[in-house]
DNA sequence: ATAAAAAAAGATTTTGTTGTCTTTTATTCT
DNA sequence: AGAATAAAAGACAACAAAATCTTTTTTTAT
């Protein structure tokens, strides 16, 4: 489904959304410990997200990562596309180089429906909304 | 989504279902050429499927692979589970070690729905039905 | 200046994919 | 029946990609 990097990315972003702020930045170590993921791998992922303006960061002492208001309004879809690339939503489910409604693979029609559902999950709710649910319901990350 | 092996497996099984029979067995070379996939990688996958009784094979001259009637009545789900393992349907979409309705991750509820849809695609139609559509509509593999 | 933190680059390990070669089995032809 | 042959099965090596770890550099608050 999602790559490991992408799963870590989603969890990290939601964790930041729920627990950090510009006034309360979080270091990689803290996030990695909380999510129980390899610290340096996570650092690389956060740098990727930072370069794409999906998370904000400040260097130096009392620096760290957090989500700006703009970051908060992005959707999980942008996070997924940033890490796993957009083909995850568009490529043929059987890996055929060409596969379209005119020239479909045997699973094309169903795959379209299924993907619409997946996109729906991660596209319409901005990160801030998901984070709110995480906090309210004390969901795990 | 599916691993490369799994995509190859699905395509190979459907190809066999549509083009081979006990009387008309197909060699790995033929299948690999038709699907444009690496021959030896495909051979390994077919051996896997054969060990799990999802495809049938006969050695020796005029031997090859085909689908028995029983193989034909299996579903694509068994193929996918054979190659990618059952966790692809059951594991947490965010990769959390424990994630259930009692202790859900932020995407759990939606993931359940989405997966039900995916399973539906590949579970209910037996291979023979999918193959019939492939033949009728001249779908690509 | 010093220390803390992210950023960057790169080395290493692990996993997945592809290719080569050998062995085993079954068929077909004498 | 026995030899030749065709095909799957299996062992193993090479390569590629993904994941993880290490080291160095840059920035910035104190």
């Amino acid at each position: 489904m999602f790559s490991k990097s992408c799963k870590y990315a989603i969890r990290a972003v939601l964790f930041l959304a729920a627990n950090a702020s510009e006034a309360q930045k979080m270091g990689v170590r803290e996030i990695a410990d909380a999510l129980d993921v390899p610290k340096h791998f996570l650092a690389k992922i956060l740098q990727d997200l930072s370069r794409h303006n999906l998370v904000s960061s400040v260097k130096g002492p009392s620096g760290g990562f957090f989500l700006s208001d703009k970051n908060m309004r992005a959707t999980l879809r942008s996070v997924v596309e940033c890490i796993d690339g957009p083909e995850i939503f568009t490529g043929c489910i059987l890996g055929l180089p060409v596969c379209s409604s005119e020239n479909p693979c045997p699973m094309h029609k169903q795959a379209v429906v299924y993907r619409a559902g997946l996109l729906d999950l991660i596209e319409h709710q901005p990160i801030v909304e998901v984070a709110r649910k995480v906090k309210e319901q004390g969901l795990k990350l």
Side-chain angles (χ1 to χ4, degrees), chain A residues 19-129:
Chain A
N19 299 293
S21 67
E22 179 146 20
Q24 202 66 41
K25 307 183 194 73
M26 301 194 82
V28 184
R29 144 107 16 79
E30 252 181 303
I31 309 171
D33 284 355
L35 302 184
D36 194 30
V37 304
K39 181 182 148 194
H40 299 94
F41 191 31
L42 181 61
K44 209 190 242 183
I45 293 166
L46 286 170
Q47 282 153 30
D48 249 32
L49 292 170
S50 170
R51 252 178 265 119
H52 287 83
N53 300 307
L54 292 169
V55 307
S56 305
S57 71
V58 171
K59 289 185 180 184
S62 87
F65 292 92
F66 66 97
L67 268 61
S68 68
D69 289 356
K70 182 157 162 276
N71 297 152
M72 282 287 205
R73 287 193 299 274
T75 62
L76 287 179
R77 177 183 187 162
S78 32
V79 174
V80 171
E81 287 196 340
C82 174
I83 303 295
D84 275 352
E87 319 78 43
I88 194 175
F89 299 119
T90 57
C92 171
I93 200 167
L94 294 185
L96 299 179
V98 292
C99 168
S100 60
S101 31
E102 293 83 47
N103 216 0
C105 78
M107 301 183 68
H108 184 79
K109 203 170 159 200
Q110 297 104 313
V112 167
V113 175
Y114 147 88
R115 262 176 184 154
L118 175 60
L119 266 177
D120 205 54
L121 298 197
I122 65 172
E123 177 157 71
H124 288 117
Q125 303 221 328
I127 287 162
V128 63
E129 283 302 313

